[in-house]
């Protein structure tokens, strides 16, 4: 009989996870669900934005990203924000997904305060706003790059705090160096929300700067531009 506190796969090994129930879904099933849904969203958004017309290949890829963000933030992270208290014992599919991911960051399975707060904001703010961003670009709304900037800044800020707080804890909530749990789950999957938002922030900055410069020139043609 294993000692109490060691009857789970999480780190640190003496972590207390009351009520923990092992998953009955395989890792392959969980990852297949995640990547098949994400792939379907990518393909569907690529097709839909092509039908809409007027969007470059790069812009369509950006909208594919925001569509996947809407799913990840709104559905997967939204589930965590609602069910984090019962996660260790719950056998619902999305709870099992989170228990699997927690092998890379056990803060999720113990309902760490920062993680709950960060994921709740991400789910209920950046999830809907990601979907709105897609719709804004497809319908050529004038505020579309403002939405892109807001969502990307929010994602970047949350992810920097996510990594930094774990760094401050000495990367103690994962098996440091493990190829799947640490490098893939914790590092790679979260690094996407640093690299891609940085690129999208620069893209929005460029477009908004051009728009402001054109507005300033138009104001100067009518007389002294009004400064706001």
């Amino acid at each position: 009989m294993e000692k109490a506190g060691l009857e789970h796969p999480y780190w640190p090994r003496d972590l207390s996870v009351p009520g923990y129930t092992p998953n009955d879904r395989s890792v392959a099933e969980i990852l297949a669900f995640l990547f098949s849904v994400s792939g379907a969203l990518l393909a569907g958004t690529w097709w839909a934005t092509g039908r809409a017309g007027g969007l470059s290949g790069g812009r369509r890829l950006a909208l594919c990203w925001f569509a996947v963000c809407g799913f990840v933030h709104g559905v997967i992270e939204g589930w965590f924000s609602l069910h984090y208290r019962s996660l260790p014992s719950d056998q619902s599919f999305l709870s099992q997904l989170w228990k699997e991911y927690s092998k890379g960051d056990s803060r999720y399975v113990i309902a760490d305060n920062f993680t709950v707060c960060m994921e709740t904001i991400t789910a209920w703010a950046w999830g809907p706003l990601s979907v709105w961003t897609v719709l804004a670009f497809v319908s050529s709304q004038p505020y579309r790059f403002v939405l892109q900037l807001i969502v990307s800044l929010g994602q970047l800020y949350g992810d920097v705090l996510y990594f930094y707080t774990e760094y401050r804890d000495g990367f103690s909530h994962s098996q440091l160096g493990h190829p799947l749990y640490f490098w893939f789950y914790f590092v790679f999957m979260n690094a996407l929300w640093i690299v891609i938002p940085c690129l999208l922030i620069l893209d929005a900055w460029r477009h908004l700067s051009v728009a402001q410069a054109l507005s300033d020139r138009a104001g100067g043609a009518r007389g002294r531009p009004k400064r706001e």
Side-chain angles (χ1 to χ4, degrees):
M1 185 78 174
E2 295 182 358
K3 293 181 181 179
L6 296 182
E7 299 174 347
H8 59 71
Y10 306 115
W11 288 72
R13 295 303 294 132
D14 59 354
L15 188 70
S16 175
V17 188
Y20 171 71
T21 303
N23 285 351
D24 56 24
R25 299 276 188 169
S26 69
V27 176
E29 286 180 276
I30 291 170
L31 294 182
F33 164 79
L34 177 62
F35 291 116
S36 62
V37 173
S38 297
L41 280 170
L42 287 170
T45 305
W46 180 262
W47 176 83
T49 53
R51 295 269 296 177
L55 296 168
S56 68
R59 186 62 53 207
R60 291 169 67 192
L61 285 174
L63 297 186
C64 289
W65 163 256
F66 281 115
V68 171
C69 286
F71 163 67
V72 172
H73 297 332
V75 177
I76 296 179
E77 291 169 302
W79 180 272
F80 175 80
S81 75
L82 295 174
H83 300 281
Y84 63 87
R85 291 183 183 88
S86 60
L87 200 67
S89 60
D90 187 40
Q91 291 295 77
S92 300
F93 189 88
L94 290 180
S95 291
Q96 293 196 48
L97 183 152
W98 278 112
K99 285 193 283 185
E100 174 61 26
Y101 175 77
S102 294
K103 295 173 184 177
D105 186 352
S106 63
R107 289 180 292 178
Y108 285 88
V109 84
I110 59 171
D112 169 77
N113 280 336
F114 166 77
T115 308
V116 170
C117 293
M118 183 268 294
E119 291 291 3
T120 300
I121 293 169
T122 299
W124 300 102
W126 312 138
L129 285 176
S130 293
V131 176
W132 190 9
T133 301
V134 175
L135 298 175
F137 272 95
V138 170
S139 57
S140 298
Q141 297 297 326
Y143 52 77
R144 57 192 183 274
F145 284 104
V146 176
L147 282 175
Q148 176 174 308
L149 181 62
I150 291 171
V151 174
S152 299
L153 276 171
Q155 292 173 327
L156 177 62
Y157 180 66
D159 215 19
V160 168
L161 288 179
Y162 176 74
F163 277 121
Y164 190 48
T165 51
E166 182 61 4
Y167 163 77
R168 294 270 299 171
D169 284 337
F171 298 106
S172 61
H173 296 98
S174 181
Q175 186 177 352
L176 189 64
H178 191 283
L180 179 62
Y181 304 144
F182 182 78
W183 287 112
F184 185 68
Y185 288 1
F186 178 69
V187 176
F188 174 75
M189 293 185 71
N190 288 289
L192 293 175
W193 272 271
I194 287 182
V195 175
I196 297 176
C198 280
L199 296 175
L200 292 172
I201 288 167
L202 293 174
D203 176 60
W205 179 297
R206 181 174 65 86
H207 281 85
L208 291 171
S209 296
V210 169
Q212 185 63 57
L214 290 173
S215 177
D216 290 346
R217 283 200 293 270
R222 295 192 297 269
R224 172 173 284 186
K226 181 180 179 181
R227 299 191 181 276
E228 298 181 358

